[in-house]
Amino acid sequence: MSSFSFRPITGVLVFGSILILGGCRAESRAPNTKDSNASQEVSNPGEVEKVQAFQQKRPTSAEDKHVLVAQRQELDETVWRQEVVAQQYEQALVQLWDALLDEGRVPDGDELSVLENLVRFNEMQIGSAGTKEQWDHGITVAPLNKNPRNLSESEWKELIGLAKTQGYRIVQTEWHHAEFDIDDSGQARSKISMAIHSRHTSGNERVVIRGNLEVTWRPRPDPKSIPVPDRIDTRNLEILRQQGSVAFEKVLTIDHASPSNRAGIQPIITYDLNGDGLSEILLVGSNELLWNEGDGNFSKRTLCTHRERGFETALAADLTGDGNVDLLLPGRRGDLLLYQGDQGHFSTPPLGKAREGGPLIQPQVITAGDIDKDGDLDLWIGQYKIAYIGGQMPTPYYDANDGFPAYLLFNDGTGRFSPATEETGLAEKRFRRSYGGSFVDLDTDGDLDLLVVSDFAGVDLYQNDGSGYFRDVTEETFDDRHLFGMSVSFADFDLDGRTDLFVTGMASTTARRLEYMRLGRVDRPDIHLMRSRMGYGNRMYLSQSNRFVQPEFRDQVARTGWSWGSTAFDFDNDSDVDIYVANGHSSGKSTKDHCTHFWCHDIYEGESKPNPANQALFQDVLAGYFNRSESWDGYQKNSLLMNQEGLGFESIAFLLGVGQEFDGRAVISDDIDGDGRMDLLVIEDQWNDGQRLHIFRNQLDTGNHWVGIRLQDEPGHSVLGCRVTVNAAGKKRTREILAGDSIHAQHAPTAHFGLGATDKIDAIEVSWIDGHVERITSPACDQYHVITRSSVANP
């Protein structure tokens, strides 16, 4: 390991514990092709000469910040004038949402009174529930478009009073300004994307009202006044109901959010360290080990005896080839620390510690796999570079390759690593600002390829030639790779037996609104031409004929918000794979959002190199974000996307108990109590006040069957890179065993498959990366099977 060429590093300024990056609010239209915006014209009310003048050399002294401020003001008065007006009308949404969040103003949780008193209008068109559609788990959905009628404001208050009498209470809401238009006469109209999550006081019913409101506004006598709707059309809403107990119950919270302890919890890893069939939980960031005692009970221990603070990534794997799981961490000096495992204990000092430091500056993901088939695990380490710091901004914001370098490291078999990035073909894009990366055999040719997910760039795929040399096949493989990439989950989402991808990003209502108004600077057409693609949100890629293609239902999985970690798991054991996504960046005291600054100014003004004038400007512009008086894509809800037999997905998180609105980060699914139902582990980020781990136990009783495969390392044979296949009822189901998915997390080397009504399994096959295949014929269902490379042992 000491052969990894180390060098001293300089300090890195981190704003709190938050990583500042691109993206905003929730929702954007899907571009049908990757060139869908190429011919779009942009409407600019400003004078071309003034806009083009901003191409001149920018001020570089902090004292010249006022020049940049004046430029922003002039652009707001010309190019972005309609967006400024849209922000003025958005004040009504901010006022309403803030009031609903203000515990001091809502007596005894009576949020319905806020709607009663703050929602003002002349006329509201509202309908009753139309034809109901029945979904699984007692969920019904119906459009609110039957027998529409017009309500007056007084009739609205009566309707709210009825809801109170019937025992309903609002739990949480969302309000987003999706579209805006104002004509020459001053008549303004908006489309508002909204959701109201409520429950009955009996606790046996949950209700979601969601969709789009069409609003026509009253004239404003005073530009500083809060706008008031003239007419509200609610006919594009739908109502979802779920009765009975929720599927997920929160059973444990580990809190690192006190003023005396601001340590983060991430990265988080689940791994069966003692071979008893239950995963321990490694809270690497806080150096804690939750030892699984069974039945959902844990005892807390110290993870590493000689631990030093590091970064938000780690790797649990057998890196020394002795059959024991080791723990690899980037050290605070920029080096790699390898803690050798001994039956689940990490009590000895780390190997390979480099006292003089190392080249790692902001490592965010480590993945491992035997890429050259020499019997040991090699590494790829991706790094992030935080935007704004020093006045720099990823450039171009849609294809940035200006961060800290990634590294490919070859293992000599003993846990000593040597750099091989250039000779393996991975040098050209190594300066991405990456959060995710996995070695996985996506072309099923028997060797491990590399998929990289990066903020300000999207997805890159490198195909392994079998010897450990990689070729960039991104452009020929993906129909559109662009997004603010955060994490990836691998599963067969469309049930065709091939591994697909779900990549999280940022769905931006602000970007969508700017697209609708056709606003953008003529001197930087590339920025607005890429806006809808970058702000689209998550992307699902289905494997089809050596390509990854987005499905027709892509919008259903795209618009979860500012998304972070994700996990692919079959929560109801119905044999199709569902998705859980953590959302939300920074929730402050107010829902007033920084998003417009990002899309109208920040990405235009920044550049890859530091700029003191930019830095001084950014400090002022982001003041509300830093002091938490404002939000940046805050109060978004975590999403559970239920797979509809491979044909689409429906968002049902709140109805099943896991739709909380805290700012989520890492996500892991794992059967922590061994009952065959996959549970959820979710990290909540609280800015510079630390993090919380929430564990949600799956208590859904469907009667469906399942099977699980727990893989164990042997000396010289790691489980990373294995593919598990289950053949049952004429269907083939596959899962990959890998690292680097989700974000700041690592799943246990376990493959869990829901079987639905099927209670017979033809065979289970496990394919190792060296070509060896282990096969079990007619295994029992509704239990876990333990498999190593050389033998099969059933519990």
Side-chain angles (χ1 to χ4, degrees):
M1 187 165 170
S2 59
S3 59
F4 185 11
S5 56
F6 295 97
R7 63 174 174 79
I9 62 172
T10 57
V12 178
L13 173 64
V14 179
F15 292 145
S17 63
I18 259 332
L19 304 179
I20 304 174
L21 35 90
C24 344
R25 288 201 188 256
E27 212 170 338
S28 183
R29 277 177 289 194
N32 292 324
T33 69
K34 63 181 180 180
D35 295 321
S36 62
N37 292 329
S39 61
Q40 178 180 337
E41 296 181 359
V42 174
S43 173
N44 285 288
E47 297 140 355
V48 174
E49 293 79 6
K50 290 183 179 179
V51 176
Q52 290 177 332
F54 296 149
Q55 296 181 49
Q56 298 176 2
K57 185 177 180 181
R58 297 181 56 77
T60 58
S61 170
E63 289 73 23
D64 291 333
K65 177 189 67 175
H66 66 279
V67 176
L68 303 181
V69 172
Q71 289 179 350
R72 283 198 175 200
Q73 290 174 345
E74 186 167 0
L75 286 166
D76 283 343
E77 294 170 358
T78 55
V79 175
W80 307 115
R81 181 175 59 188
Q82 189 169 346
E83 170 62 12
V84 172
V85 177
Q87 288 288 298
Q88 295 170 356
Y89 279 86
E90 190 172 286
Q91 293 178 64
L93 302 183
V94 172
Q95 180 191 56
L96 175 61
W97 200 353
D98 286 358
L100 288 164
L101 290 166
D102 189 350
E103 296 180 0
R105 292 180 56 184
V106 183
D108 300 322
D110 187 13
E111 287 85 359
L112 280 168
S113 293
V114 175
L115 291 183
E116 181 181 23
N117 296 323
L118 281 186
V119 176
R120 300 168 53 203
F121 55 88
N122 288 333
E123 181 182 279
M124 176 186 292
Q125 190 164 30
I126 189 169
S128 56
T131 303
K132 292 183 180 180
E133 182 180 348
Q134 186 72 45
W135 293 350
D136 291 339
H137 316 306
I139 300 172
T140 61
V141 58
L144 291 176
N145 60 3
K146 183 179 179 181
N147 302 322
R149 61 192 180 100
N150 293 327
L151 290 184
S152 65
E153 196 169 305
S154 60
E155 289 173 319
W156 164 255
K157 293 180 182 294
E158 292 176 5
L159 185 63
I160 294 295
L162 179 61
K164 291 180 184 179
T165 303
Q166 292 177 339
Y168 290 98
R169 175 181 172 181
I170 294 176
V171 178
Q172 56 197 22
T173 65
E174 280 196 59
W175 309 86
H176 300 295
H177 199 184
E179 295 179 5
F180 179 74
D181 186 32
I182 186 167
D183 61 24
D184 293 339
S185 68
Q187 178 64 69
R189 297 176 179 84
S190 295
K191 178 184 286 187
I192 297 168
S193 173
M194 54 81 66
I196 297 175
H197 296 170
S198 64
R199 67 168 179 258
H200 196 270
T201 52
S202 67
N204 292 324
E205 182 183 25
R206 293 189 172 219
V207 180
V208 172
I209 299 174
R210 68 188 185 190
N212 294 316
L213 301 174
E214 302 284 348
V215 176
T216 303
W217 300 93
R218 296 181 192 175
R220 286 194 303 155
D222 179 0
K224 295 182 180 180
S225 63
I226 300 295
V228 176
D230 178 44
R231 187 174 186 272
I232 303 175
D233 187 343
T234 72
R235 290 176 297 169
N236 289 319
L237 300 180
E238 63 181 8
I239 183 168
L240 292 82
R241 296 181 184 272
Q242 188 271 341
Q243 293 185 332
S245 60
V246 295
F248 291 89
E249 177 189 10
K250 185 163 68 172
V251 294
L252 182 64
T253 296
I254 303 295
D255 195 340
H256 279 272
S258 66
S260 60
N261 184 0
R262 296 185 176 182
I265 290 176
Q266 296 176 155
I268 177 174
I269 297 172
T270 56
Y271 211 105
D272 180 6
L273 294 176
N274 62 348
D276 66 351
L278 298 174
S279 293
E280 276 67 53
I281 303 175
L282 288 66
L283 308 180
V284 184
S286 55
N287 197 32
E288 293 175 306
L289 174 61
L290 301 184
W291 198 265
N292 198 333
E293 305 287 356
D295 197 30
N297 297 312
F298 296 88
S299 59
K300 188 181 293 187
R301 306 181 183 182
T302 298
L303 178 60
C304 297
T305 305
H306 300 273
R307 171 70 197 282
E308 68 174 53
R309 293 292 301 165
F311 296 89
E312 290 183 295
T313 187
L315 175 74
D318 178 16
L319 296 168
T320 56
D322 62 359
N324 288 316
V325 61
D326 307 307
L327 187 62
L328 183 73
L329 310 175
R332 62 186 176 185
R333 299 177 181 84
D335 50 359
L336 284 175
L337 309 177
L338 179 58
Y339 294 85
Q340 286 187 288
D342 181 13
Q343 301 299 315
H345 301 286
F346 305 97
S347 56
T348 59
L351 300 178
K353 190 170 183 179
R355 296 294 180 182
E356 70 273 18
L360 300 178
I361 300 173
Q362 194 70 38
Q364 292 296 297
V365 57
I366 304 175
T367 191
D370 185 2
I371 64 172
D372 52 1
K373 295 188 178 182
D374 64 351
D376 53 44
L377 290 178
D378 309 301
L379 304 177
W380 181 85
I381 303 174
Q383 301 203 80
Y384 193 74
K385 184 177 182 181
I386 304 171
Y388 292 96
I389 292 178
Q392 52 80 34
M393 179 67 66
T395 306
Y397 81 101
Y398 50 85
D399 197 22
N401 192 31
D402 55 359
F404 301 130
Y407 293 93
L408 190 288
L409 305 175
F410 276 134
N411 191 346
D412 70 355
T414 67
R416 298 174 67 86
F417 298 93
S418 57
T421 312
E422 294 186 2
E423 50 265 48
T424 54
L426 296 174
E428 184 176 351
K429 296 180 181 176
R430 70 182 301 189
F431 292 95
R432 294 290 201 209
R433 303 183 185 218
S434 301
Y435 272 129
S438 295
F439 286 126
V440 54
D441 185 8
L442 289 177
D443 55 5
T444 64
D445 64 351
D447 52 49
L448 296 177
D449 309 304
L450 175 62
L451 183 88
V452 178
V453 177
S454 304
D455 196 9
F456 298 99
V459 178
D460 290 298
L461 177 59
Y462 304 93
Q463 192 176 72
N464 192 339
D465 69 355
S467 67
Y469 183 84
F470 295 90
R471 181 174 70 90
D472 187 350
V473 295
T474 306
E475 296 301 327
E476 63 195 70
T477 304
F478 292 93
D479 58 351
D480 193 338
R481 66 170 181 81
H482 292 281
L483 74 160
F484 294 106
M486 305 298 289
S487 70
V488 60
S489 291
F490 301 85
D492 178 12
F493 295 113
D494 60 351
L495 311 180
D496 66 352
R498 294 176 291 195
T499 299
D500 308 310
L501 315 176
F502 173 74
V503 185
T504 64
M506 288 76 165
S508 172
T509 299
T510 304
R512 180 187 178 190
R513 185 172 63 243
L514 293 172
E515 287 292 296
Y516 179 80
M517 296 186 292
R518 298 169 59 199
L519 302 183
R521 281 172 48 174
V522 296
D523 62 325
R524 295 294 304 278
D526 62 313
I527 289 183
H528 62 256
L529 289 178
M530 293 297 297
R531 187 168 53 204
S532 68
R533 293 163 68 181
M534 289 299 292
Y536 174 55
N538 310 320
R539 292 192 185 274
M540 177 168 284
Y541 299 103
L542 302 181
S543 178
Q544 296 181 4
S545 302
N546 298 321
R547 288 183 56 81
F548 285 97
V549 180
Q550 297 181 83
E552 292 184 0
F553 59 77
R554 58 187 177 270
D555 287 359
Q556 296 174 4
V557 299
R559 300 167 184 169
T560 58
W562 184 320
S563 302
W564 296 82
S566 64
T567 188
F569 71 133
D570 188 352
F571 79 89
D572 50 4
N573 287 334
D574 65 349
S575 80
D576 53 30
V577 181
D578 313 293
I579 304 170
Y580 188 80
V581 188
N583 300 298
H585 181 202
S586 175
S587 300
K589 294 179 181 178
S590 172
T591 58
K592 183 180 179 182
D593 202 276
H594 179 78
C595 213
T596 290
H597 294 285
F598 174 82
W599 284 107
C600 294
H601 298 294
D602 298 350
I603 55 175
Y604 285 92
E605 295 166 349
E607 52 188 353
S608 296
K609 59 185 180 181
N611 184 313
N614 277 349
Q615 182 180 21
L617 175 66
F618 289 154
Q619 284 288 108
D620 286 354
V621 172
L622 289 165
Y625 168 75
F626 290 138
N627 64 29
R628 308 281 284 159
S629 63
E630 299 175 359
S631 298
W632 194 347
D633 283 278
Y635 300 101
Q636 295 180 349
K637 317 303 183 284
N638 295 330
S639 297
L640 175 60
L641 302 174
M642 180 174 65
N643 196 334
Q644 301 286 62
E645 300 180 348
L647 301 176
F649 288 80
E650 299 292 349
S651 181
I652 59 168
F654 175 75
L655 299 174
L656 296 193
V658 283
Q660 289 74 18
E661 67 180 4
F662 56 69
D663 297 330
R665 291 297 183 268
V667 173
I668 289 179
S669 57
D670 195 296
D671 184 5
I672 60 173
D673 52 6
D675 66 355
R677 295 174 290 193
M678 296 297 284
D679 310 300
L680 280 170
L681 294 80
V682 187
I683 293 291
E684 174 189 358
D685 191 82
Q686 299 192 113
W687 192 251
N688 63 347
D689 291 330
Q691 297 177 331
R692 289 191 178 114
L693 167 66
H694 300 282
I695 300 179
F696 297 92
R697 189 174 187 174
N698 187 342
Q699 55 187 9
L700 186 64
D701 186 8
T702 64
N704 289 328
H705 298 284
W706 59 277
V707 68
I709 297 90
R710 299 188 186 278
L711 301 184
Q712 291 186 351
D713 293 317
E714 284 188 336
H717 299 289
S718 172
V719 300
L720 289 179
C722 287
R723 173 179 288 117
V724 182
T725 303
V726 171
N727 292 292
K731 298 179 181 178
K732 182 176 74 171
R733 302 165 174 85
T734 62
R735 295 303 296 262
E736 312 287 341
I737 305 299
L738 45 79
D741 58 337
S742 191
I743 191 172
H744 302 148
Q746 182 181 339
H747 287 82
T750 301
H752 171 275
F753 299 86
L755 300 175
T758 301
D759 62 357
K760 295 185 187 318
I761 303 172
D762 298 323
I764 296 173
E765 291 185 353
V766 179
S767 301
W768 264 259
I769 196 61
D770 64 358
H772 178 78
V773 177
E774 200 75 48
R775 179 181 175 89
I776 309 177
T777 303
S778 300
C781 67
D782 300 327
Q783 69 178 53
Y784 284 95
H785 300 269
V786 179
I787 300 180
T788 64
R789 185 182 178 280
S790 60
S791 63
V792 176
N794 295 328

